[in-house]
Amino acid sequence: MAKLVIKEANLLGTIAYNNTHPKTIDLVSTGKIKLDQFITAKIGLNDLIDKGFDTLIHHNETAVKILVSPTGKGL
């Protein structure tokens, strides 16, 4: 703690989950969790501002995940 105070450094913590990825992958791969319900939209890179950021900012109560394709293909 003394080093933090003397150097006037900032300490930032984050929340993390340990060993959850294998369980999550199993739930998804076995079909117990359907990810489609979490995808709000699929957009091309050209629509990133108007349809991407705008949606996440102004509809954050319903928007969860927006997938962006750089080429606009495969959407």
Side-chain angles (χ1 to χ4, degrees), residues 6-53:
I6 292 170
K7 291 186 175 188
E8 297 183 6
N10 294 317
L11 178 64
L12 176 68
T14 62
I15 188 168
Y17 301 95
N18 190 21
N19 299 319
T20 59
H21 287 90
K23 293 175 189 174
T24 304
I25 292 168
D26 182 56
L27 289 170
V28 172
S29 67
T30 58
K32 293 179 181 172
I33 293 180
K34 304 289 185 197
L35 297 181
D36 291 345
Q37 63 186 337
F38 298 107
I39 299 172
T40 303
K42 297 178 182 179
I43 61 173
L45 190 56
N46 292 339
D47 293 322
L48 184 60
I49 303 298
D50 295 337
K51 294 182 182 176
F53 290 127

